[in-house]
Amino acid sequence: MTGRPGRTGRSGSQAGAGDLLELVRNGRAVTRGALQQATGLSRATVGQRLDRLFRAGWLREGAGGPVGSPLGGRPSITLEFDDSHAVVLAADLDTRHARAAVLSLTGEILAEHAGPLVVEDGPEAVLGELGRWFAELPAKAGHRAAEVCGIGLAVPGPVDRETGRVVQPPIMPGWDGYDIRSRLSRAFTEHTGAPAVPVLVDNDADLMAYGEQRTGHPDCTAFVLVKVSTGIGAGVVVDGSIYRGVDGGAGDIGHIRVGADALCRCGSYGCLAAVASGGAVARRLAASGVPATSGSDVRDLLAAGHPQAAALAREAGRQVGDVLATVVTLLNPGVLMIAGDLAGTPFLTGVRELLYQRALPRSTAHLEVVTSRLGERAGLIGAGALVVEHLYAPERVEERLVAMGV
């Protein structure tokens, strides 16, 4: 979870310890001399600000770099972000199950747990259970709960970034406007005895897109991920940042009307999710006598090579591909990634059939259509990255250093 390559710190006397840490984290300046050049600060000032980061345990000295002068001399000592001083907890909620993990500050999953967790049971029960999971995870990775510096949570609904509350979620009854941050923070403290830590909440497709883009496509400046599971949602990453819209509603393509008469869980008729999601495919299979109640059941049938499930998944892919032709024309992404329970060959084939048929050649000339690389861990990695970027943003570094008395 390195800093975003495009971000730059302030220069001159305004550059603080957080700006220096950012430059080291994103690899733009990893020696004292390079930091002086990048910021215009004096050697003494750079030394003073680095000293604060060393005392906080956030920086360490690495191996000597190459000798900069042809006359030889002592190699420069490189600086490294020390990711061993803390860990992050993350969880990814789906409609009927969840995954949780403890991650290093550089995004490595150190330990994880998955199990049934029904979002319809409501936030009190679900977040309380997550608190129990979180209490066990640090020890599995050889860490203490007190080393956790933050928690990230991915949820299957639109999220107001400022408040961390879901807003009118179609498939999360009882969650609308609920204070998720406070409840999850309290659950973590209740089950661990550790101090409260910041909790960040975001949409699952957004965080999957964030994790996949940073991990596998860091040079892609316009990245779209479509998650097709019990519902359908999309995450968009532009210039290294999640695009959320004005109130967190961007990417909710599952509720675009496609002209069908099927009733959606949101209460409207004709939504894309009502006819082409994993849940919709499961209902069609069940109606023909095939046991299926959710997107995960469809995933299992597809893995087993079930011919009817494959045919319905391909048709669902065509319906989604029709909508994605508009998305691709509007956003002109470099990568379109299909993820979720239906992200297999039949569905992807259907998407490509309609996408390339309906979209202008100009929009798809440089487009890669791929499936998920991180699989079920994408949301966890994205949630962890969100927490790290929040906690180690330059302005927040200064606040935290002051709070630590450093």
Side-chain angles (χ1 to χ4, degrees):
M1 294 177 189
T2 56
R4 295 182 206 141
R7 287 172 61 173
T8 58
R10 296 164 292 182
S11 62
S13 61
Q14 291 184 325
D19 296 295
L20 301 191
L21 183 65
E22 179 80 351
L23 289 167
V24 172
R25 288 184 63 232
N26 64 29
R28 291 186 59 235
V30 296
T31 65
R32 288 169 173 82
L35 289 170
Q36 288 176 243
Q37 284 187 322
T39 62
L41 295 174
S42 69
R43 179 178 179 179
T45 302
V46 167
Q48 290 168 358
R49 293 177 182 174
L50 289 179
D51 182 61
R52 299 177 69 199
L53 298 171
F54 279 116
R55 283 188 284 141
W58 297 351
L59 271 190
R60 64 187 172 206
E61 291 187 341
V67 176
S69 168
L71 300 177
R74 189 168 61 185
S76 300
I77 299 298
T78 59
L79 302 169
E80 300 174 350
F81 178 59
D82 189 344
D83 68 334
S84 65
H85 67 273
V87 292
V88 170
L89 286 169
D92 185 3
L93 288 182
D94 210 328
T95 53
R96 305 191 65 81
H97 66 278
R99 302 182 75 86
V102 56
L103 299 93
S104 74
L105 298 181
T106 50
E108 179 187 359
I109 291 182
L110 306 175
E112 62 184 311
H113 175 81
L117 203 54
V118 181
V119 75
E120 290 185 353
D121 288 345
E124 281 289 330
V126 170
L127 298 176
E129 182 63 16
L130 278 182
R132 283 185 280 275
W133 292 9
F134 284 162
E136 300 173 357
L137 280 167
K140 288 183 179 179
H143 290 271
R144 295 174 292 111
E147 295 177 69
V148 174
C149 64
I151 296 171
L153 177 65
V155 298
V159 176
D160 183 318
R161 186 187 182 193
E162 297 302 316
T163 65
R165 300 174 188 235
V166 291
V167 182
Q168 299 178 0
I171 58 175
M172 298 179 71
W175 291 73
D176 185 22
Y178 186 86
D179 189 356
I180 296 173
R181 290 176 179 172
S182 295
R183 177 67 183 101
L184 190 53
S185 178
R186 188 169 71 251
F188 170 71
T189 299
E190 287 172 352
H191 291 288
T192 64
V197 296
V199 175
L200 275 69
V201 184
D202 217 324
N203 172 262
D204 56 354
D206 284 344
L207 291 179
M208 290 174 69
Y210 196 45
E212 293 276 9
Q213 187 271 336
R214 290 167 63 89
T215 302
H217 303 273
D219 297 327
C220 180
T221 58
F223 179 95
V224 175
L225 178 143
V226 179
K227 179 186 179 184
V228 187
S229 291
T230 298
I232 301 176
V236 180
V237 179
V238 177
D239 290 334
S241 298
I242 298 171
Y243 179 74
R244 299 179 175 86
V246 296
D247 61 4
D252 201 4
I253 66 170
H255 299 285
I256 292 175
R257 306 291 175 82
V258 294
D261 59 0
L263 176 63
C264 182
R265 294 181 66 174
C266 73
S268 297
Y269 286 87
C271 294
L272 181 64
V275 296
S277 65
V281 172
R283 287 190 292 274
R284 293 180 68 182
L285 286 168
S288 65
V290 179
T293 59
S294 66
S296 58
D297 291 335
V298 178
R299 178 193 62 206
D300 295 340
L301 289 168
L302 290 171
H306 192 283
Q308 188 177 357
L312 290 175
R314 181 169 179 170
E315 178 57 30
R318 289 172 57 85
Q319 292 168 310
V320 172
D322 198 9
V323 170
L324 289 180
T326 300
V327 172
V328 166
T329 301
L330 177 65
L331 296 178
N332 189 209
V335 175
L336 171 63
M337 178 173 285
I338 307 299
D341 291 330
L342 265 59
T345 299
F347 186 86
L348 191 63
T349 299
V351 167
R352 285 177 167 148
E353 285 175 358
L354 262 289
L355 173 62
Y356 288 106
Q357 177 183 326
R358 299 291 171 84
L360 292 172
R362 173 70 181 82
S363 301
T364 57
H366 302 288
L367 176 68
E368 292 182 65
V369 182
V370 300
T371 53
S372 170
R373 294 180 58 177
L374 300 176
E376 294 181 333
R377 292 178 164 183
L380 295 175
I381 291 173
L386 188 75
V387 172
V388 172
E389 290 303 319
H390 171 80
L391 291 177
Y392 295 93
E395 66 277 7
R396 203 149 289 105
V397 164
E398 189 62 34
E399 294 172 4
R400 294 175 67 200
L401 290 173
V402 170
M404 294 168 66
V406 174

